[in-house]
Amino acid sequence: MSSLKTTDPQVYKFIKGEEQRQKLGMELIASENYVSPSVLEALGSVFTNKYSEGYPGRRYYGGQEFTDAVESLAIERAKKLFRCDHANVQPLSGAPANIAVYFAWLEPGDTVLGMDLTHGGHLTHGSPVTHMAKLFNFVRYKMKDVETGEIDYDELRKVARKEKPKIILAGFSAYPREPDYAKMKAIADEVGAITMADMAHIAGLIVAGVLKNPFDFGFNIITTTTHKTLRGPRGGMILSMGKVSNPLKAVEKTVENLPTLIDRSVFPGFQGGPHMNNTAAKAVAFGEAMKPSFKVYARQIVKNAKAMADELMKQGCKLITNGTDNHLMVMDCIKSFGIDGKEVEQILDKIGITTSKSTVPDDPLPPFAPSGLRLGTPAMTTRGMKEKHMRQIAKWVVDAAHERKNSKVLKKLKKEVVEMSLQFPVPGIK
Ligand code: DSN
């Protein structure tokens, strides 16, 4: 960064500071990861200079020889990874991807049936604070048993029959188990809804074959972010099944036409020019996810999460659903330590372990200081850590929470965290 260092030392200093933070600390935020140096190079490439409104072969600007090629490559790789008919790689992130789907299929006032936010659903699945909640009617399902994580499919069917949703939405940002996609699809068929899976958190685990692919159960649409377990640049993507046709021509609203409806919803319906440096970086990340080593990585993420969950429970912590089948776990901090998730997050910040507070099912506490804490293993697995390291991290989490008033102990824990972090380099950081 010799140019930046000279021209803008302030920004240079912040980037270097962030590099140090990432290098010396441990990243347990379940939705974060470290991209490869190749993804970073594509992100920092001259593709950032280019406007490419439209789709490959059908753009509103000239000079698209290489942008067309790179977007087509990203699309082909995404389709192969998820085994689907169509991929739109232009959504700027997960929220725009979800919103584009709603606008592709719904009319104002239509109903979507999704998971309750405190049970693991996501803000963009119709939280009352979102703009989407003003336009569409979002209704909810929950877990039947928070001890096992089993979704209440009877209730889901009851609500679906009553509310007649146009979309049944599977997908979560804080749910440690796997849903029964077949049951959801059957209920959707009963009430004439399409099925959408927001797989942002687990996309990497799906393409690696570690978790089930909703398309194998007849789902119509998958939305996802491209960072998180997929380990690409920050961005979004919509995958779908159906007939692919010219996105610049209007089509009838049918299930068969979903790919075209989605394309038209993303552009010109919702977004302007796609970020082509991001598209290039997505193509690189998808290429990486096709390699056999990615399968090994994804399997290790889950092994690590299970080890961390097991150790936390051995140390007396209460986890929602008593464990995990994926990359994340949610700890009830009130039950585990008698303090809320915000406080535990702040204590862990002091020792160099980064986490994110989280609600627990039907949380009586507010979202900014909720009862829970979410932890995940994708990032530390990228750095090469294995089960024994996860157990050690779990012990540090518990020690820090118990010894929160003892600054001497916290200082000692931070030193240990830094020492172990330095043994596991962050890709792209020297
Ligand atoms: N903000 C992401 C997460 O942390 O789960 C989801 O959008």
Side-chain angles (χ1 to χ4, degrees), residues 143-155:
M143 286 182 252
K144 176 160 78 182
D145 182 358
V146 294
E147 296 302 323
T148 63
E150 197 197 338
I151 287 170
D152 192 341
Y153 294 101
D154 295 335
E155 180 68 15

Side-chain angles (χ1 to χ4, degrees), residues 20 41 247 340 424:
Q20 282 304 302
E41 283 175 11
D340 67 43
F424 295 89

Side-chain angles (χ1 to χ4, degrees), residues 71-119:
E71 186 169 339
S72 300
L73 183 65
I75 289 169
E76 287 315 310
R77 287 181 177 173
K79 280 162 52 179
K80 220 168 176 175
L81 278 171
F82 286 88
R83 302 191 305 276
C84 60
D85 295 335
H86 184 57
N88 185 310
V89 297
Q90 294 192 4
L92 301 178
S93 201
N98 286 344
I99 293 167
V101 172
Y102 300 149
F103 278 102
W105 191 243
L106 305 174
E107 297 299 328
D110 279 349
T111 297
V112 179
L113 173 54
M115 178 81 140
D116 184 273
L117 185 60
T118 70
H119 282 234

Side-chain angles (χ1 to χ4, degrees), residues 20-275:
Q20 282 304 302
R21 189 194 70 78
Q22 293 191 12
K23 185 168 148 178
L24 300 180
M26 296 203 176
E27 191 51 75
L28 297 192
I29 293 179
S31 49
E32 293 190 16
N33 211 332
Y34 306 104
V35 298
S36 70
S38 308
V39 169
L40 278 179
E41 283 175 11
L43 266 178
S45 71
V46 291
F47 273 127
T48 198
N49 298 335
K50 192 73 196 101
Y51 252 122
S52 302
E53 274 154 320
Y55 289 98
R58 297 181 176 99
R59 306 278 191 189
Y60 288 88
Y61 294 77
Q64 305 292 346
E65 185 183 352
F66 299 105
T67 43
D68 274 4
V70 85
E71 186 169 339
S72 300
L73 183 65
I75 289 169
E76 287 315 310
R77 287 181 177 173
K79 280 162 52 179
K80 220 168 176 175
L81 278 171
F82 286 88
R83 302 191 305 276
C84 60
D85 295 335
H86 184 57
N88 185 310
V89 297
Q90 294 192 4
L92 301 178
S93 201
N98 286 344
I99 293 167
V101 172
Y102 300 149
F103 278 102
W105 191 243
L106 305 174
E107 297 299 328
D110 279 349
T111 297
V112 179
L113 173 54
M115 178 81 140
D116 184 273
L117 185 60
T118 70
H119 282 234
H122 189 252
L123 210 61
T124 56
H125 302 169
S127 157
V129 300
T130 62
H131 296 321
M132 290 308 103
K134 292 181 193 150
L135 271 180
F136 306 118
N137 174 38
F138 289 89
V139 291
R140 304 275 162 228
Y141 59 89
K142 291 184 173 188
M143 286 182 252
K144 176 160 78 182
D145 182 358
V146 294
E147 296 302 323
T148 63
E150 197 197 338
I151 287 170
D152 192 341
Y153 294 101
D154 295 335
E155 180 68 15
L156 200 160
R157 175 176 278 113
K158 221 163 93 185
V159 178
R161 281 183 176 162
K162 179 165 175 261
E163 303 282 351
K164 302 270 179 296
K166 292 269 167 60
I167 298 177
I168 291 186
L169 174 49
F172 323 95
S173 67
Y175 179 64
R177 301 294 180 186
E178 225 184 348
D180 187 333
Y181 298 116
K183 267 191 189 156
M184 288 182 161
K185 170 72 178 148
I187 296 169
D189 286 347
E190 261 182 54
V191 299
I194 62 162
T195 35
M196 166 181 174
D198 177 347
M199 298 289 100
H201 266 263
I202 56 172
L205 305 179
I206 290 174
V207 300
V210 176
L211 294 182
K212 292 176 193 125
N213 184 341
F215 284 138
D216 291 340
F217 301 87
F219 266 57
N220 302 102
I221 298 168
I222 289 181
T223 57
T224 182
T225 44
T226 46
H227 37 289
K228 302 195 177 87
T229 50
L230 202 47
R231 212 164 55 177
R234 303 195 77 82
M237 166 162 71
I238 306 170
L239 305 140
S240 53
M241 290 295 194
K243 193 173 76 194
V244 181
S245 56
N246 181 352
L248 304 187
K249 284 207 176 121
V251 290
E252 221 185 310
K253 220 177 227 188
T254 63
V255 171
E256 176 71 354
N257 283 335
L258 273 172
T260 314
L261 294 167
I262 287 165
D263 277 349
R264 292 181 60 74
S265 180
V266 173
F267 176 84
F270 180 45
Q271 289 187 177
H275 296 178

